């Protein structure tokens, strides 16, 4: 096939721009052949670019040469078309296309490049089940309309956030990608130094220390659309390299930071046509979140759990053989409807099978008021659960909601002795699992494109430390630069009762997904040194690893705080996607492999020698 050269031909319009107002104009569009339909003397090419699709008519009588070239054209060929815009006739308009009122009658067609048959269809939004094929041919996958929309959305969201922060006196400042390893919860990606054999840089898990130093440097308000790297196990909402909206400010209260974040989230969601309203986001402490939802990132589209312990009399506990020392928790899944005896039995077995090794005992699952086997229990809990449902959705309980009541088995597991919230966490997970199981019935996870779909929440007052049972040590729950509450410092709890210390840390949560995490930072050297000691770090080790930062704290460090939100997660939720891979241009698989470029790969012996490295097999 003889392909054409573009020469000096200039594109006058994009494919999605043409309307009836362009009728009679001679225009030039360029793009890919989306579809081809051959009707003999008439050939129709749908030509596509990022902006949309225009129907092109190749009429043998108007331009025999263009028609002959169109006979050779196939989907994904790259073409240029010069022709006259005309309005489509009655009954021929396509209301599903932005350009559906017009078509272009081609006078000239250039075939700029041909294309092999793609391994999957590009012309429509049909789902592609083989994700590995999609990622291997990512350059084709990205042409699909769904992916194109996602990245237009990502651009708009990023721009809206940048504009909002700039308008609120934040300065965008870049921090290094080659830095030193710091403890932030995940493994670092290490980069060997050629100039300093045996020494390594680390790719940043976040710009944490640098942004705090920027506050010490007097920049007052900083932000960055920051690339971050974490060598951790992957899942749908994690990638080894990702992007976060990172910000820091001096002299803030928590509420100051909350107001800024809520402001740029309003701006971001507005780009998708979603106006979030004027009310501030709901706030809840960590302890409240665990007690009501069994998790520190609650999905508030679902009713909260209910502690039913007080509803059960001693006599009823004796009858049902429920240990009086153990809590009884219940929850409802809305609008599940009537369950047959067979379905109820299957659900009982499913719950027992999934949680049988975790110390939970299943008591009751049924529509309220209809389970004859546990009439006393149903009567005891019905009012309590009905009240919670009324609080949740403003309506009275109808009896169509699935009710589940759980208590730990007699002879509680060892973990109960050091984690009194264990039962709430396990029941909270069951609540989420059943909500997903019946999602089509209750419909609470379905996006309708309105603000009601999005339930934001601030979770505050996280524990400062987490107990590491394996190593018998206290670890930082967030990171070691988070400030404890002042009264935890002055009371001595910071030293003598670490399990009771609360952090000035906060998460922003949306529909059960953590969007971001932040805190008020430590700005005093004595407190920072004590935190390092409490994590088992000697003064010598702390100085070796963080001496530059401890020194900086001695030069008039202002109180400061900040937060980082995952840009990828924000866009994922707005796009209605279920994986970050749908909103990251070139993502990795669950095994951290880039299938398109086949990375990671071995390197040559010369490269290893230059870096003073040698590869050995893991024993």
């Amino acid at each position: 096939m003889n392909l054409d050269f573009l020469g000096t031909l200039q594109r006058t319009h994009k494919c999605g721009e043409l309307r009836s107002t362009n009728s009679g104009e001679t225009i030039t569009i360029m793009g890919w052949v989306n579809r081809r339909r051959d009707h003999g003397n008439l050939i129709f090419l749908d030509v596509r670019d990022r902006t949309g699709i225009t129907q092109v008519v190749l009429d043998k009588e108007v331009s025999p040469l263009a028609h002959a070239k169109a006979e050779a054209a196939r989907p994904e060929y790259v073409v240029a078309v010069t022709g006259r815009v005309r309005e489509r006739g009655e009954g021929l308009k396509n209301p599903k296309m932005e350009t559906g009122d017009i078509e272009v009658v081609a006078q000239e067609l250039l075939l700029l490049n041909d294309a092999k048959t793609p391994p999957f269809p590009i012309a429509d939004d049909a789902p592609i089940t083989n994700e590995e094929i999609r990622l291997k041919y990512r350059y084709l996958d990205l042409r699909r309309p769904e992916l194109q929309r996602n990245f237009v959305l990502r651009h708009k969201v990023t721009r809206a956030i940048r504009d909002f922060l700039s308008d609120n006196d934040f300065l965008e400042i870049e921090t290094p990608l080659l830095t030193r390893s710091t403890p932030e919860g995940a493994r670092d990606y290490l980069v060997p130094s050629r100039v300093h054999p045996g020494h390594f840089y680390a790719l940043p898990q976040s710009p944490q220390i640098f942004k705090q130093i920027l506050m010490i440097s007097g920049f007052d308000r900083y932000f960055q659309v920051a690339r971050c790297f974490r060598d951790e196990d992957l899942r749908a909402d994690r990638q080894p390299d990702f992007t976060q909206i990172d910000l820091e400010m001096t002299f803030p209260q928590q509420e100051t930071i909350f107001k800024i974040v809520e402001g740029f989230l309003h701006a971001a969601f507005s780009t998708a046509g979603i106006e979030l309203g004027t009310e501030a986001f709901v706030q809840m402490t960590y302890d409240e979140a665990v007690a009501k939802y069994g998790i520190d990132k609650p999905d508030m589209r679902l009713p909260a759990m209910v502690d039913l312990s007080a509803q059960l009399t001693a006599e009823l506990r004796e009858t049902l053989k429920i240990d009086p020392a153990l809590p009884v928790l219940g929850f409802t899944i809305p609008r599940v409807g009537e369950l047959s005896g067979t379905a109820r039995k299957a659900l009982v077995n499913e719950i027992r099978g999934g949680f049988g090794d975790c110390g939970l005992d299943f008591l009751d699952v049924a529509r309220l008021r209809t389970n004859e086997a546990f009439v006393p229990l149903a009567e005891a809990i019905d009012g309590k659960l009905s009240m919670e449902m009324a609080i949740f959705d403003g309506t009275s309980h109808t009896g169509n909601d699935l009710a589940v009541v759980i208590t730990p088995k007699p002879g509680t597991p060892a973990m109960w002795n050091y984690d009194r919230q264990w039962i709430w966490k396990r029941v909270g997970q069951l609540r989420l699992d059943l909500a997903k199981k019946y999602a089509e019935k209750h419909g609470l996870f379905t996006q309708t494109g309105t603000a009601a779909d999005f339930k934001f929440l601030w979770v505050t007052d996280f524990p400062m430390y987490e107990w590491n049972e394996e190593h018998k040590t206290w670890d930082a729950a967030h990171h070691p630069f988070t400030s404890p509450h002042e009264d935890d410092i002055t009371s001595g709890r910071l030293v003598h009762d670490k399990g009771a210390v609360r952090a000035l840390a906060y998460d922003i949560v949306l529909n059960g997904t953590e969007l971001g995490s932040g805190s008020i930072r430590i700005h005093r050297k004595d407190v920072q040194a004590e935190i390092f000691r409490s994590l088992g770090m000697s003064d010598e080790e702390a100085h070796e690893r963080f001496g530059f930062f401890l020194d900086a704290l001695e030069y008039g460090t202002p109180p400061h705080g900040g937060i980082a939100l995952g840009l990828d997660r924000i866009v994922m939720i707005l796009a209605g996607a279920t994986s970050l891979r749908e909103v990251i241009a070139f993502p990795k698989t669950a095994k951290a492999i880039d299938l398109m470029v086949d990375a990671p790969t071995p390197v040559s012996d010369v490269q290893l020698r230059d870096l003073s490295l040698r590869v050995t097999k893991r024993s």
Side-chain angles (χ1 to χ4, degrees), residues 198-250:
H199 290 69
F200 294 82
Y201 299 103
L203 299 178
Q205 295 186 35
S206 79
Q208 183 61 47
I209 291 182
F210 286 104
K211 67 179 182 178
Q212 289 190 244
I213 287 177
L214 287 172
M215 297 303 96
I216 297 172
S217 303
F219 284 103
D220 190 59
R221 291 188 168 195
Y222 138 95
F223 85 97
Q224 184 179 185
V225 182
R227 298 292 291 162
C228 301
F229 308 85
R230 294 180 186 174
D231 186 4
E232 57 187 351
D233 294 335
L234 304 186
R235 57 190 187 212
D237 63 350
R238 279 185 183 171
Q239 282 280 300
D241 50 335
F242 58 95
T243 306
Q244 65 185 33
I245 305 299
D246 197 64
L247 65 88
E248 198 81 5
M249 55 199 304
T250 54

Coordinates of all heavy atoms in Angstrom, one line a residue, residues 198-250:
G198 N 28.5 1.4 47.4 CA 28.0 0.9 48.6 C 27.0 1.8 49.3 O 26.4 1.4 50.3
H199 N 26.7 2.9 48.7 CA 25.7 3.9 49.3 C 24.5 3.9 48.4 O 24.6 3.7 47.1 CB 26.3 5.3 49.5 CG 27.3 5.3 50.6 ND1 28.6 4.7 50.5 CD2 27.3 5.9 51.8 CE1 29.2 4.9 51.6 NE2 28.5 5.7 52.4
F200 N 23.4 4.2 49.0 CA 22.1 4.2 48.2 C 21.3 5.4 48.5 O 21.2 5.9 49.6 CB 21.3 3.0 48.6 CG 21.9 1.7 48.2 CD1 22.9 1.1 49.0 CD2 21.6 1.0 47.1 CE1 23.5 -0.1 48.7 CE2 22.1 -0.2 46.7 CZ 23.1 -0.8 47.5
Y201 N 20.6 5.9 47.4 CA 19.5 6.8 47.6 C 18.3 6.0 47.8 O 18.2 4.8 47.5 CB 19.3 7.7 46.4 CG 20.5 8.6 46.0 CD1 21.3 8.3 44.9 CD2 20.7 9.8 46.7 CE1 22.4 9.1 44.6 CE2 21.8 10.6 46.3 CZ 22.6 10.3 45.3 OH 23.6 11.1 44.9
A202 N 17.2 6.7 48.3 CA 15.9 6.1 48.3 C 14.9 7.0 47.5 O 15.0 8.2 47.6 CB 15.4 5.9 49.7
L203 N 14.0 6.4 46.8 CA 12.9 7.2 46.2 C 11.9 7.5 47.3 O 11.6 6.6 48.1 CB 12.3 6.4 45.0 CG 13.1 6.0 43.9 CD1 12.4 5.2 42.8 CD2 13.7 7.2 43.2
P204 N 11.4 8.7 47.3 CA 10.5 9.1 48.4 C 9.2 8.4 48.5 O 8.5 8.3 47.5 CB 10.3 10.6 48.2 CG 10.4 10.8 46.7 CD 11.5 9.7 46.3
Q205 N 8.9 7.9 49.7 CA 7.5 7.4 50.0 C 6.6 8.6 50.1 O 5.4 8.5 49.8 CB 7.5 6.6 51.3 CG 8.3 5.3 51.2 CD 8.1 4.4 52.4 OE1 7.1 4.4 53.0 NE2 9.2 3.7 52.8
S206 N 7.1 9.7 50.5 CA 6.4 11.0 50.5 C 7.4 12.1 50.7 O 8.5 11.8 51.1 CB 5.3 11.0 51.6 OG 5.9 11.3 52.9
P207 N 7.1 13.3 50.4 CA 8.0 14.4 50.7 C 8.0 14.9 52.1 O 8.3 16.1 52.4 CB 7.5 15.6 49.8 CG 6.4 15.0 48.9 CD 5.9 13.8 49.7
Q208 N 7.7 14.0 53.1 CA 7.4 14.4 54.5 C 8.5 15.4 55.1 O 8.1 16.5 55.5 CB 7.3 13.2 55.3 CG 6.9 13.5 56.8 CD 5.5 14.2 56.9 OE1 4.6 13.7 56.2 NE2 5.5 15.2 57.6
I209 N 9.7 14.9 55.2 CA 10.7 15.8 55.9 C 11.0 17.0 55.1 O 11.1 18.1 55.7 CB 12.0 15.0 56.2 CG1 11.7 13.9 57.2 CG2 13.1 15.9 56.6 CD1 13.0 13.1 57.5
F210 N 11.0 16.9 53.8 CA 11.3 18.1 53.0 C 10.3 19.2 53.1 O 10.6 20.4 53.2 CB 11.5 17.7 51.5 CG 12.8 17.0 51.3 CD1 12.9 15.7 51.0 CD2 14.0 17.7 51.2 CE1 14.1 15.0 50.8 CE2 15.2 17.1 51.0 CZ 15.2 15.7 50.8
K211 N 9.0 18.8 53.2 CA 8.0 19.8 53.3 C 8.0 20.4 54.7 O 7.6 21.6 54.9 CB 6.6 19.2 52.9 CG 6.0 18.2 53.9 CD 4.6 17.8 53.3 CE 3.9 16.8 54.2 NZ 2.6 16.4 53.7
Q212 N 8.4 19.6 55.7 CA 8.5 20.2 57.0 C 9.6 21.2 57.0 O 9.6 22.3 57.7 CB 8.7 19.2 58.1 CG 7.4 18.3 58.4 CD 7.6 17.4 59.6 OE1 7.6 16.2 59.4 NE2 7.7 18.0 60.7
I213 N 10.7 20.9 56.4 CA 11.9 21.8 56.3 C 11.5 23.1 55.5 O 11.9 24.2 55.8 CB 13.1 21.1 55.7 CG1 13.6 20.1 56.7 CG2 14.1 22.1 55.2 CD1 14.8 19.3 56.2
L214 N 10.6 23.0 54.5 CA 10.1 24.2 53.8 C 9.4 25.1 54.8 O 9.4 26.3 54.6 CB 9.2 23.8 52.6 CG 10.0 23.2 51.4 CD1 9.0 22.6 50.4 CD2 10.9 24.2 50.8
M215 N 8.7 24.5 55.8 CA 8.0 25.3 56.7 C 9.0 26.0 57.7 O 8.8 27.2 58.0 CB 7.0 24.5 57.6 CG 5.9 23.9 56.8 SD 4.8 25.0 55.9 CE 5.6 25.0 54.2
I216 N 10.0 25.3 58.0 CA 11.1 25.9 58.8 C 11.8 27.0 58.0 O 12.2 28.0 58.6 CB 12.1 24.8 59.2 CG1 11.5 23.7 60.1 CG2 13.3 25.4 59.9 CD1 12.4 22.5 60.4
S217 N 11.8 26.8 56.7 CA 12.4 27.8 55.8 C 11.6 29.1 55.6 O 12.0 30.0 54.9 CB 12.8 27.2 54.5 OG 13.6 26.0 54.6
G218 N 10.4 29.1 56.1 CA 9.6 30.3 56.0 C 8.7 30.5 54.8 O 8.2 31.6 54.6
F219 N 8.4 29.4 54.1 CA 7.5 29.5 52.9 C 6.1 29.5 53.2 O 5.2 29.7 52.4 CB 7.9 28.4 51.9 CG 9.1 28.6 51.2 CD1 10.3 27.9 51.5 CD2 9.2 29.6 50.2 CE1 11.5 28.2 50.8 CE2 10.4 29.8 49.5 CZ 11.5 29.1 49.8
D220 N 5.7 29.2 54.5 CA 4.4 29.4 55.0 C 3.3 28.4 54.5 O 2.7 27.7 55.3 CB 3.8 30.8 54.8 CG 2.6 31.1 55.6 OD1 2.6 31.0 56.8 OD2 1.5 31.4 54.9
R221 N 3.2 28.3 53.2 CA 2.2 27.4 52.6 C 2.8 26.8 51.3 O 3.2 27.5 50.4 CB 0.9 28.1 52.2 CG 0.1 28.5 53.4 CD -1.3 29.0 53.1 NE -2.1 29.2 54.2 CZ -3.5 29.3 54.2 NH1 -4.1 29.4 53.0 NH2 -4.2 29.5 55.3
Y222 N 2.9 25.5 51.4 CA 3.5 24.7 50.2 C 2.6 23.7 49.7 O 1.8 23.1 50.5 CB 4.8 24.0 50.7 CG 5.0 22.6 50.2 CD1 5.8 22.3 49.1 CD2 4.4 21.5 50.9 CE1 5.9 21.0 48.6 CE2 4.5 20.2 50.4 CZ 5.3 19.9 49.3 OH 5.4 18.7 48.9
F223 N 2.6 23.4 48.4 CA 2.0 22.2 47.9 C 2.8 21.6 46.7 O 3.6 22.3 46.1 CB 0.5 22.5 47.5 CG 0.4 23.1 46.1 CD1 0.0 22.2 45.0 CD2 0.5 24.4 45.8 CE1 -0.1 22.7 43.7 CE2 0.4 24.9 44.5 CZ 0.0 24.1 43.5
Q224 N 2.4 20.4 46.4 CA 3.1 19.7 45.3 C 2.2 18.6 44.8 O 1.6 17.9 45.6 CB 4.4 19.2 45.8 CG 5.3 18.5 44.7 CD 6.6 18.0 45.2 OE1 7.4 17.5 44.5 NE2 6.8 18.0 46.5
V225 N 2.1 18.4 43.5 CA 1.5 17.2 42.9 C 2.7 16.3 42.8 O 3.5 16.2 41.8 CB 0.9 17.5 41.5 CG1 0.3 16.3 40.9 CG2 -0.1 18.6 41.6
A226 N 2.8 15.4 43.9 CA 4.1 14.7 44.1 C 4.0 13.3 43.7 O 3.1 12.6 44.0 CB 4.4 14.8 45.6
R227 N 5.1 12.9 43.0 CA 5.3 11.4 42.7 C 5.9 10.7 43.9 O 6.9 11.2 44.5 CB 6.2 11.3 41.5 CG 5.6 11.9 40.2 CD 4.4 11.2 39.7 NE 4.7 9.8 39.2 CZ 3.9 8.8 39.1 NH1 2.6 9.0 39.4 NH2 4.3 7.7 38.6
C228 N 5.3 9.6 44.3 CA 5.8 8.9 45.5 C 5.9 7.4 45.1 O 5.3 6.9 44.2 CB 4.8 9.0 46.6 SG 4.5 10.8 47.1
F229 N 6.8 6.7 45.9 CA 7.1 5.3 45.6 C 7.1 4.5 46.9 O 7.8 4.9 47.9 CB 8.5 5.3 45.0 CG 8.7 6.3 43.8 CD1 9.0 7.6 44.0 CD2 8.4 5.8 42.5 CE1 9.1 8.5 43.0 CE2 8.5 6.7 41.4 CZ 8.9 8.0 41.7
R230 N 6.5 3.4 46.8 CA 6.4 2.5 48.0 C 6.5 1.0 47.5 O 5.7 0.6 46.7 CB 5.1 2.7 48.8 CG 5.1 4.1 49.5 CD 3.9 4.3 50.3 NE 3.9 5.7 50.8 CZ 2.9 6.3 51.4 NH1 1.8 5.6 51.7 NH2 2.9 7.5 51.8
D231 N 7.5 0.3 48.0 CA 7.7 -1.1 47.7 C 6.8 -2.0 48.6 O 7.3 -2.5 49.6 CB 9.1 -1.5 47.8 CG 9.4 -2.9 47.3 OD1 8.5 -3.5 46.8 OD2 10.6 -3.3 47.4
E232 N 5.5 -2.1 48.3 CA 4.6 -2.8 49.1 C 3.7 -3.7 48.2 O 3.6 -3.5 47.0 CB 3.7 -1.9 50.0 CG 2.9 -0.9 49.1 CD 2.2 0.2 50.0 OE1 2.2 0.0 51.2 OE2 1.7 1.1 49.4
D233 N 3.0 -4.7 48.9 CA 2.1 -5.5 48.1 C 1.0 -4.7 47.5 O 0.5 -3.8 48.2 CB 1.5 -6.6 49.0 CG 2.6 -7.6 49.5 OD1 3.6 -7.7 48.8 OD2 2.4 -8.1 50.6
L234 N 0.6 -5.0 46.3 CA -0.3 -4.2 45.6 C -1.7 -4.8 45.6 O -2.0 -5.9 45.9 CB 0.1 -4.1 44.1 CG 1.5 -3.6 43.8 CD1 1.7 -3.4 42.4 CD2 1.8 -2.3 44.6
R235 N -2.7 -3.9 45.4 CA -4.1 -4.2 45.3 C -4.8 -3.2 44.4 O -4.1 -2.4 43.8 CB -4.8 -4.3 46.7 CG -4.7 -3.0 47.5 CD -5.1 -3.2 48.9 NE -5.2 -2.0 49.7 CZ -4.9 -1.9 51.0 NH1 -4.6 -2.9 51.7 NH2 -5.0 -0.7 51.6
A236 N -6.1 -3.3 44.3 CA -6.8 -2.4 43.4 C -6.6 -0.9 43.6 O -6.5 -0.1 42.7 CB -8.3 -2.7 43.4
D237 N -6.4 -0.5 44.9 CA -6.2 0.9 45.2 C -4.8 1.2 45.6 O -4.5 2.2 46.3 CB -7.2 1.4 46.3 CG -7.0 0.7 47.6 OD1 -6.2 -0.3 47.7 OD2 -7.6 1.2 48.6
R238 N -3.8 0.4 45.2 CA -2.4 0.7 45.4 C -1.5 0.4 44.2 O -1.8 -0.6 43.5 CB -1.8 -0.2 46.5 CG -2.2 0.3 47.9 CD -1.5 -0.7 48.9 NE -1.8 -0.3 50.3 CZ -1.5 -1.1 51.4 NH1 -0.8 -2.2 51.2 NH2 -1.8 -0.7 52.6
Q239 N -0.6 1.3 43.9 CA 0.4 1.1 42.9 C 1.8 1.4 43.5 O 1.9 2.2 44.4 CB 0.1 2.0 41.7 CG -1.0 1.5 40.8 CD -0.5 0.5 39.8 OE1 0.4 0.7 39.0 NE2 -1.1 -0.7 39.9
P240 N 2.9 0.8 42.9 CA 4.2 1.1 43.5 C 4.6 2.6 43.3 O 5.4 3.1 44.2 CB 5.1 0.2 42.8 CG 4.4 -0.2 41.5 CD 2.9 -0.2 41.9
D241 N 4.2 3.2 42.2 CA 4.5 4.6 42.1 C 3.1 5.3 41.8 O 2.3 4.8 41.1 CB 5.4 4.9 40.9 CG 5.1 4.3 39.6 OD1 4.4 3.2 39.6 OD2 5.5 4.7 38.5
F242 N 2.9 6.4 42.6 CA 1.6 7.0 42.6 C 1.8 8.5 42.7 O 2.9 9.0 42.9 CB 0.7 6.4 43.7 CG 1.3 6.5 45.1 CD1 0.9 7.6 45.9 CD2 2.2 5.6 45.5 CE1 1.5 7.7 47.2 CE2 2.7 5.7 46.8 CZ 2.4 6.8 47.6
T243 N 0.6 9.2 42.7 CA 0.7 10.7 42.8 C -0.2 11.2 43.9 O -1.3 10.7 44.1 CB 0.1 11.3 41.4 OG1 0.9 10.8 40.4 CG2 0.3 12.8 41.5
Q244 N 0.3 12.1 44.7 CA -0.5 12.6 45.8 C -0.5 14.1 45.8 O 0.5 14.8 45.3 CB 0.0 12.1 47.1 CG 1.3 12.5 47.6 CD 1.8 11.8 48.9 OE1 1.4 10.7 49.2 NE2 2.5 12.5 49.7
I245 N -1.6 14.7 46.2 CA -1.7 16.2 46.5 C -1.1 16.4 47.9 O -1.7 16.1 48.9 CB -3.1 16.7 46.4 CG1 -3.7 16.2 45.0 CG2 -3.1 18.2 46.5 CD1 -3.0 16.8 43.8
D246 N 0.1 17.0 47.9 CA 0.8 17.1 49.2 C 0.8 18.6 49.6 O 1.1 19.5 48.7 CB 2.3 16.6 48.9 CG 3.0 16.3 50.2 OD1 2.6 15.4 50.9 OD2 4.0 17.0 50.5
L247 N 0.5 18.9 50.8 CA 0.5 20.3 51.2 C 0.9 20.4 52.7 O 0.8 19.4 53.5 CB -0.8 21.0 51.0 CG -2.1 20.5 51.8 CD1 -2.2 21.2 53.1 CD2 -3.3 20.7 51.0
E248 N 1.4 21.5 53.0 CA 1.9 21.8 54.4 C 1.7 23.3 54.7 O 1.8 24.1 53.7 CB 3.4 21.5 54.6 CG 3.8 21.3 56.0 CD 3.4 20.0 56.6 OE1 2.9 19.1 55.9 OE2 3.7 19.8 57.9
M249 N 1.4 23.7 55.9 CA 1.2 25.1 56.2 C 1.7 25.4 57.7 O 1.7 24.5 58.5 CB -0.2 25.5 56.0 CG -1.2 24.7 56.8 SD -2.9 24.8 56.1 CE -3.2 26.5 56.2
T250 N 2.1 26.6 57.9 CA 2.5 27.0 59.3 C 1.3 27.6 60.1 O 0.4 28.1 59.5 CB 3.6 28.0 59.2 OG1 3.2 29.1 58.4 CG2 4.9 27.4 58.6

